[in-house]
Amino acid sequence: MANQMFCFQCEQTAKSMGCTGGAGVCGKKADTANLQDELTDSLIALARTMDGKDRPEKADHLMVDGLFTTVTNVSFDNESLKGLEEEILRLVDEFNPVVESFDIHGMWLTEHEDIRSLKSLILFGLRGMAAYAHHARVLGYVDPKVNDFFFEGMRAVGSNLDADALLTLVLKLGEINLACMALLDQANTETYGTPVPTTVDLTIEKGPFIVITGHDLHDLKLLLEQTQGKGINIYTHGEMLPAHAYPQLKAYPHLKGNFGTAWQNQQKEFAEIPGPVLFTTNCLMPVRPSYADRVFTTSVVAYPEMVHIGEAKDFTPVIEKALELGGYSEDQSLTGINGGTQVTTGFGHGTVLSVADTVIDAVKGGDISHFFLVGGCDGARPGRNYYTDFVKQTPADSIILTLACGKYRFNDLDLGTIGGLPRIMDMGQCNDAYSAIQVAVALADAFGCGVNELPLSMVLSWYEQKAVCILLTLLYLGIKNIYLGPTLPAFISPGVLDLLVKNYNIHPTTTPEEDLQVILG
């Protein structure tokens, strides 16, 4: 078993069916994949052990961090996975040493396809939601009902529940994830201020610098504090871009701009980079020798032989590497995928709703004909140019709301403005789907209709598990006619897909031309 794996949790899974054999498409080796399955088994044991008991806070932390660790592109390090599993099992033994075990690897291969599909939706959705709960917790924000559902959901994954009961839990997960995204939104805005529209430069100035990637704003704040006055500039990468819009983060003058484009381009863009890269969450790809001495990890992110910054969050090794490498000798004028030299961010619900009257008047006056939410997780599979082409072909009187890393396909385009508002509005990270939901609900209230009656279309890309929990939240809210691509999840069985199509009219993406014609009539 150590040399064989089965994994179908991400969009790039082999042949759109599942990664098997010795390694996954993400670069995860079979022994690592199997250790993550064993870690999942231990989390099910933990959930069973704590059923009906007064859980210690440590159990909640282990549950969240264990689930987060198994998100795609988080941990490639066997030793850290073993250590986390051992810690979980010690707690299980302390409370109930005879708890019944469960084999998740066996479930992938033997469970009835519809049951397996529904359990996969629950498990993968929990993994995505755990990332949001983790980020909120490090800022001191927790929600007991969110923590409770992690345990309820994991017991369900290891249960004999029928399809109807599992489907109920799938939609409940969507409900709880909405609460979890609201919690993280509250944590971020109360800690760092309400995001404001901000233009971010793509030029890298000469001199020492550090690139920080991932999603954890707390890690960025600590890095900014520790580098203050040291002559080191900080550049965001990937999902860290929206950090520039938070007042208490943008106040640091050495938070300069954004480096690189989409996360899946890192092996090329980080090659021989004269500065270190700090990974705070997922989106770590197998590290190549050309920049292996410059990669640092922290939190649950881990990769063999890379320097890991522990709980003390002392970033001295990163800082010393930045000073040693020295950065570029001259300013580097970099561009986005489409040649743009700047991108904007900061159009969260606080900003958009503050100009709601302007938006509503523009719709009523015919200046805005349609809203498109185009965003989600990016990836390397062919076909993702669909999203760039789709945005380029949207009507000139439409607004593009975007979020998550899928925006790197088009966020450097200049599509002009409508009524003083830019046509492309970056709402933030993937968890800021909460902002999009708040805007949609507010517009529906203003026009006296349901969200599904708005001139609003959602065209989403998915890659990993946070996209799964967001999709389940949208389904819980009853939102229909979502376009999803570039491929449908391999873990969705034909029976479950048929259910989603019938109840929610989910559309697989086809071509921009065909989909726009259907959307706009």
Side-chain angles (χ1 to χ4, degrees):
M1 179 175 168
N3 296 319
Q4 297 292 318
M5 66 181 288
F6 179 79
C7 183
F8 61 172
Q9 71 173 0
C10 84
E11 189 269 335
Q12 286 187 176
T13 192
K15 300 178 182 178
S16 296
M17 296 177 63
C19 292
T20 59
V25 174
C26 69
K28 183 171 56 184
K29 295 181 180 178
D31 56 348
T32 305
N34 289 324
L35 281 171
Q36 292 190 352
D37 283 348
E38 292 177 15
L39 175 59
T40 302
D41 293 342
S42 72
L43 293 173
I44 292 173
L46 180 64
R48 288 171 166 173
T49 297
M50 297 299 162
D51 191 14
K53 293 185 174 65
D54 186 14
R55 291 194 316 269
E57 186 177 344
K58 182 179 181 181
D60 291 348
H61 290 188
L62 288 172
M63 176 62 75
V64 168
D65 290 354
L67 286 166
F68 189 7
T69 298
T70 55
V71 169
T72 306
N73 295 88
V74 169
S75 180
F76 295 78
D77 186 64
N78 290 356
E79 294 308 309
S80 63
L81 292 170
K82 291 175 184 175
L84 184 53
E85 181 186 1
E86 290 169 359
E87 191 174 2
I88 293 167
L89 292 178
R90 281 196 296 270
L91 186 59
V92 170
D93 287 343
E94 179 183 333
F95 275 77
N96 185 2
V98 293
V99 66
E100 183 182 359
S101 63
F102 186 79
D103 177 16
I104 195 77
H105 189 90
M107 188 197 84
W108 302 140
L109 304 177
T110 62
E111 194 82 77
H112 181 277
E113 64 176 5
D114 288 343
I115 297 296
R116 180 180 71 171
S117 182
L118 292 167
K119 287 185 175 182
S120 297
L121 276 168
I122 294 171
L123 175 61
F124 301 156
L126 289 172
R127 288 176 175 175
M129 187 169 71
Y132 300 151
H134 172 95
H135 296 316
R137 188 187 76 212
V138 298
L139 295 177
Y141 290 73
V142 295
D143 185 335
K145 70 174 177 292
V146 172
N147 285 335
D148 287 348
F149 189 77
F150 284 121
F151 288 81
E152 180 183 358
M154 290 303 286
R155 285 194 292 272
V157 173
S159 73
N160 294 316
L161 293 176
D162 62 20
D164 288 340
L166 291 170
L167 181 60
T168 298
L169 283 173
V170 165
L171 295 177
K172 184 176 179 180
L173 196 157
E175 176 186 8
I176 299 298
N177 183 60
L178 180 62
C180 190
M181 290 194 296
L183 179 72
L184 181 53
D185 179 80
Q186 178 188 9
N188 286 338
T189 55
E190 291 186 356
T191 304
Y192 304 117
T194 299
V196 295
T198 303
T199 299
V200 182
D201 200 71
L202 303 184
T203 295
I204 308 302
E205 297 180 11
K206 65 180 180 180
F209 68 93
I210 296 169
V211 174
I212 183 169
T213 187
H215 304 72
D216 200 296
L217 301 181
H218 181 59
D219 284 336
L220 172 59
K221 178 67 158 55
L222 294 175
L223 182 64
L224 288 167
E225 290 175 348
Q226 293 178 35
T227 52
Q228 199 164 17
K230 289 185 167 61
I232 299 173
N233 290 329
I234 307 299
Y235 294 89
T236 56
H237 172 268
E239 281 271 63
M240 198 65 80
L241 167 64
H244 290 273
Y246 287 91
Q248 291 194 30
L249 296 177
K250 68 183 300 180
Y252 288 86
H254 59 302
L255 178 60
K256 288 288 185 176
N258 194 69
F259 180 94
T261 56
W263 70 269
Q264 71 273 6
N265 298 329
Q266 66 188 258
Q267 291 177 324
K268 177 182 178 181
E269 294 177 347
F270 291 167
E272 301 178 3
I273 179 178
V277 183
L278 175 63
F279 283 85
T280 67
T281 61
N282 56 307
C283 301
L284 169 66
M285 294 181 73
V287 181
R288 292 185 172 174
S290 61
Y291 60 93
D293 65 324
R294 278 148 275 185
V295 168
F296 297 80
T297 61
T298 191
S299 186
V300 298
V301 189
Y303 196 87
E305 300 180 4
M306 299 296 106
V307 176
H308 187 78
I309 307 299
E311 291 183 7
K313 297 294 183 179
D314 181 358
F315 293 118
T316 298
V318 191
I319 293 168
E320 291 177 343
K321 179 60 70 171
L323 294 172
E324 173 194 333
L325 293 170
Y328 293 107
S329 58
E330 300 293 338
D331 291 357
Q332 302 294 303
S333 299
L334 306 182
T335 65
I337 288 177
N338 301 286
T341 59
Q342 294 178 324
V343 294
T344 59
T345 189
F347 290 92
H349 63 93
T351 293
V352 177
L353 294 181
S354 71
V355 294
D357 290 344
T358 301
V359 173
I360 292 165
D361 289 344
V363 174
K364 290 181 177 178
D367 295 324
I368 297 177
S369 67
H370 208 89
F371 296 89
F372 295 94
L373 176 62
V374 185
C377 302
D378 203 0
R381 185 188 292 274
R384 287 185 179 266
N385 287 339
Y386 166 96
Y387 297 94
T388 309
D389 296 338
F390 186 97
V391 168
K392 287 180 177 179
Q393 294 178 38
T394 54
D397 59 354
S398 64
I399 293 287
I400 312 298
L401 305 174
T402 189
L403 49 84
C405 58
K407 62 176 168 276
Y408 281 97
R409 295 277 170 175
F410 51 80
N411 69 335
D412 64 321
L413 290 171
D414 182 2
L415 297 185
T417 62
I418 300 177
L421 301 172
R423 284 196 56 216
I424 297 180
M425 298 185 188
D426 175 17
M427 308 193 84
Q429 297 179 337
C430 55
N431 49 281
D432 290 312
Y434 178 74
S435 276
I437 290 167
Q438 296 307 303
V439 169
V441 170
L443 288 175
D445 288 344
F447 289 106
C449 66
V451 171
N452 291 315
E453 283 70 53
L454 286 172
L456 167 67
S457 300
M458 297 190 179
V459 184
L460 307 179
S461 57
W462 81 282
Y463 177 81
E464 45 90 342
Q465 294 72 64
K466 282 176 275 187
V468 176
C469 62
I470 291 171
L471 176 63
L472 297 183
T473 292
L474 296 176
L475 299 184
Y476 158 72
L477 292 170
I479 294 174
K480 299 182 178 181
N481 297 308
I482 296 170
Y483 285 74
L484 182 65
T487 62
L488 293 176
F491 53 82
I492 299 292
S493 66
V496 172
L497 177 60
D498 183 60
L499 181 69
L500 295 179
V501 170
K502 285 182 178 178
N503 290 346
Y504 301 100
N505 204 23
I506 288 180
H507 304 268
T509 54
T510 58
T511 67
E513 295 80 6
E514 291 175 23
D515 291 343
L516 277 167
Q517 185 176 8
V518 173
I519 290 170
L520 300 174

mmCIF file of all heavy atoms in Angstrom, residues 358-371 443 447 455:
data_model
loop_
_atom_site.group_PDB
_atom_site.id
_atom_site.type_symbol
_atom_site.label_atom_id
_atom_site.label_comp_id
_atom_site.label_asym_id
_atom_site.label_seq_id
_atom_site.Cartn_x
_atom_site.Cartn_y
_atom_site.Cartn_z
ATOM 1 N N THR A 358 -25.247 54.096 -5.883
ATOM 2 C CA THR A 358 -24.698 54.361 -7.219
ATOM 3 C C THR A 358 -24.884 53.160 -8.128
ATOM 4 O O THR A 358 -25.264 53.289 -9.299
ATOM 5 C CB THR A 358 -23.191 54.707 -7.115
ATOM 6 O OG1 THR A 358 -23.044 55.853 -6.286
ATOM 7 C CG2 THR A 358 -22.599 54.977 -8.484
ATOM 8 N N VAL A 359 -24.626 51.974 -7.580
ATOM 9 C CA VAL A 359 -24.764 50.750 -8.361
ATOM 10 C C VAL A 359 -26.220 50.529 -8.752
ATOM 11 O O VAL A 359 -26.536 50.219 -9.914
ATOM 12 C CB VAL A 359 -24.229 49.542 -7.558
ATOM 13 C CG1 VAL A 359 -24.517 48.238 -8.298
ATOM 14 C CG2 VAL A 359 -22.735 49.690 -7.312
ATOM 15 N N ILE A 360 -27.114 50.688 -7.797
ATOM 16 C CA ILE A 360 -28.543 50.472 -8.053
ATOM 17 C C ILE A 360 -29.059 51.460 -9.097
ATOM 18 O O ILE A 360 -29.792 51.085 -10.026
ATOM 19 C CB ILE A 360 -29.337 50.583 -6.737
ATOM 20 C CG1 ILE A 360 -28.981 49.405 -5.822
ATOM 21 C CG2 ILE A 360 -30.835 50.620 -7.008
ATOM 22 C CD1 ILE A 360 -29.414 49.593 -4.384
ATOM 23 N N ASP A 361 -28.643 52.731 -8.974
ATOM 24 C CA ASP A 361 -29.070 53.737 -9.951
ATOM 25 C C ASP A 361 -28.531 53.412 -11.342
ATOM 26 O O ASP A 361 -29.222 53.624 -12.346
ATOM 27 C CB ASP A 361 -28.588 55.126 -9.525
ATOM 28 C CG ASP A 361 -29.349 55.664 -8.313
ATOM 29 O OD1 ASP A 361 -30.427 55.110 -8.013
ATOM 30 O OD2 ASP A 361 -28.850 56.608 -7.669
ATOM 31 N N ALA A 362 -27.303 52.871 -11.389
ATOM 32 C CA ALA A 362 -26.701 52.519 -12.683
ATOM 33 C C ALA A 362 -27.454 51.371 -13.338
ATOM 34 O O ALA A 362 -27.616 51.340 -14.569
ATOM 35 C CB ALA A 362 -25.231 52.158 -12.497
ATOM 36 N N VAL A 363 -27.945 50.442 -12.520
ATOM 37 C CA VAL A 363 -28.734 49.337 -13.070
ATOM 38 C C VAL A 363 -30.093 49.860 -13.554
ATOM 39 O O VAL A 363 -30.525 49.561 -14.678
ATOM 40 C CB VAL A 363 -28.932 48.225 -12.016
ATOM 41 C CG1 VAL A 363 -29.879 47.151 -12.553
ATOM 42 C CG2 VAL A 363 -27.589 47.605 -11.635
ATOM 43 N N LYS A 364 -30.738 50.644 -12.714
ATOM 44 C CA LYS A 364 -32.058 51.170 -13.089
ATOM 45 C C LYS A 364 -31.974 52.087 -14.304
ATOM 46 O O LYS A 364 -32.905 52.134 -15.123
ATOM 47 C CB LYS A 364 -32.668 51.920 -11.908
ATOM 48 C CG LYS A 364 -33.089 51.017 -10.755
ATOM 49 C CD LYS A 364 -33.701 51.823 -9.613
ATOM 50 C CE LYS A 364 -34.189 50.908 -8.497
ATOM 51 N NZ LYS A 364 -34.747 51.677 -7.347
ATOM 52 N N GLY A 365 -30.855 52.798 -14.441
ATOM 53 C CA GLY A 365 -30.695 53.707 -15.570
ATOM 54 C C GLY A 365 -30.182 53.041 -16.828
ATOM 55 O O GLY A 365 -30.033 53.699 -17.868
ATOM 56 N N GLY A 366 -29.918 51.733 -16.734
ATOM 57 C CA GLY A 366 -29.461 51.008 -17.913
ATOM 58 C C GLY A 366 -27.971 51.079 -18.172
ATOM 59 O O GLY A 366 -27.480 50.562 -19.185
ATOM 60 N N ASP A 367 -27.206 51.700 -17.254
ATOM 61 C CA ASP A 367 -25.753 51.789 -17.448
ATOM 62 C C ASP A 367 -25.063 50.462 -17.146
ATOM 63 O O ASP A 367 -24.021 50.151 -17.725
ATOM 64 C CB ASP A 367 -25.159 52.896 -16.566
ATOM 65 C CG ASP A 367 -25.662 54.275 -16.958
ATOM 66 O OD1 ASP A 367 -25.845 54.503 -18.170
ATOM 67 O OD2 ASP A 367 -25.878 55.116 -16.064
ATOM 68 N N ILE A 368 -25.622 49.710 -16.206
ATOM 69 C CA ILE A 368 -25.108 48.372 -15.901
ATOM 70 C C ILE A 368 -26.166 47.358 -16.296
ATOM 71 O O ILE A 368 -27.295 47.386 -15.780
ATOM 72 C CB ILE A 368 -24.770 48.213 -14.403
ATOM 73 C CG1 ILE A 368 -23.652 49.177 -13.992
ATOM 74 C CG2 ILE A 368 -24.351 46.773 -14.101
ATOM 75 C CD1 ILE A 368 -23.320 49.139 -12.510
ATOM 76 N N SER A 369 -25.801 46.461 -17.209
ATOM 77 C CA SER A 369 -26.773 45.475 -17.696
ATOM 78 C C SER A 369 -26.681 44.149 -16.954
ATOM 79 O O SER A 369 -27.675 43.426 -16.852
ATOM 80 C CB SER A 369 -26.554 45.226 -19.188
ATOM 81 O OG SER A 369 -25.296 44.584 -19.415
ATOM 82 N N HIS A 370 -25.474 43.826 -16.439
ATOM 83 C CA HIS A 370 -25.296 42.491 -15.868
ATOM 84 C C HIS A 370 -24.088 42.501 -14.933
ATOM 85 O O HIS A 370 -23.144 43.277 -15.110
ATOM 86 C CB HIS A 370 -25.066 41.464 -16.986
ATOM 87 C CG HIS A 370 -25.523 40.080 -16.629
ATOM 88 N ND1 HIS A 370 -26.809 39.632 -16.860
ATOM 89 C CD2 HIS A 370 -24.884 39.038 -16.035
ATOM 90 C CE1 HIS A 370 -26.929 38.384 -16.448
ATOM 91 N NE2 HIS A 370 -25.763 38.002 -15.933
ATOM 92 N N PHE A 371 -24.146 41.622 -13.932
ATOM 93 C CA PHE A 371 -23.004 41.369 -13.051
ATOM 94 C C PHE A 371 -22.536 39.937 -13.290
ATOM 95 O O PHE A 371 -23.350 39.008 -13.359
ATOM 96 C CB PHE A 371 -23.394 41.529 -11.581
ATOM 97 C CG PHE A 371 -23.823 42.908 -11.188
ATOM 98 C CD1 PHE A 371 -25.158 43.288 -11.297
ATOM 99 C CD2 PHE A 371 -22.899 43.820 -10.709
ATOM 100 C CE1 PHE A 371 -25.570 44.562 -10.928
ATOM 101 C CE2 PHE A 371 -23.311 45.101 -10.340
ATOM 102 C CZ PHE A 371 -24.638 45.467 -10.451
ATOM 103 N N LEU A 443 -28.337 43.485 -3.124
ATOM 104 C CA LEU A 443 -28.928 43.874 -4.404
ATOM 105 C C LEU A 443 -30.324 43.278 -4.562
ATOM 106 O O LEU A 443 -31.256 43.945 -5.037
ATOM 107 C CB LEU A 443 -28.031 43.439 -5.558
ATOM 108 C CG LEU A 443 -26.726 44.227 -5.746
ATOM 109 C CD1 LEU A 443 -25.882 43.601 -6.836
ATOM 110 C CD2 LEU A 443 -27.014 45.692 -6.069
ATOM 111 N N PHE A 447 -33.825 45.406 -5.062
ATOM 112 C CA PHE A 447 -34.690 45.262 -6.226
ATOM 113 C C PHE A 447 -35.949 44.450 -5.926
ATOM 114 O O PHE A 447 -36.756 44.195 -6.826
ATOM 115 C CB PHE A 447 -33.921 44.636 -7.390
ATOM 116 C CG PHE A 447 -32.908 45.562 -8.004
ATOM 117 C CD1 PHE A 447 -31.557 45.381 -7.783
ATOM 118 C CD2 PHE A 447 -33.311 46.628 -8.791
ATOM 119 C CE1 PHE A 447 -30.620 46.238 -8.334
ATOM 120 C CE2 PHE A 447 -32.379 47.488 -9.361
ATOM 121 C CZ PHE A 447 -31.029 47.296 -9.124
ATOM 122 N N PRO A 455 -29.765 40.187 -12.340
ATOM 123 C CA PRO A 455 -28.916 40.068 -13.533
ATOM 124 C C PRO A 455 -27.488 39.743 -13.102
ATOM 125 O O PRO A 455 -26.539 40.515 -13.301
ATOM 126 C CB PRO A 455 -29.029 41.450 -14.181
ATOM 127 C CG PRO A 455 -29.243 42.372 -13.037
ATOM 128 C CD PRO A 455 -30.096 41.611 -12.056
#
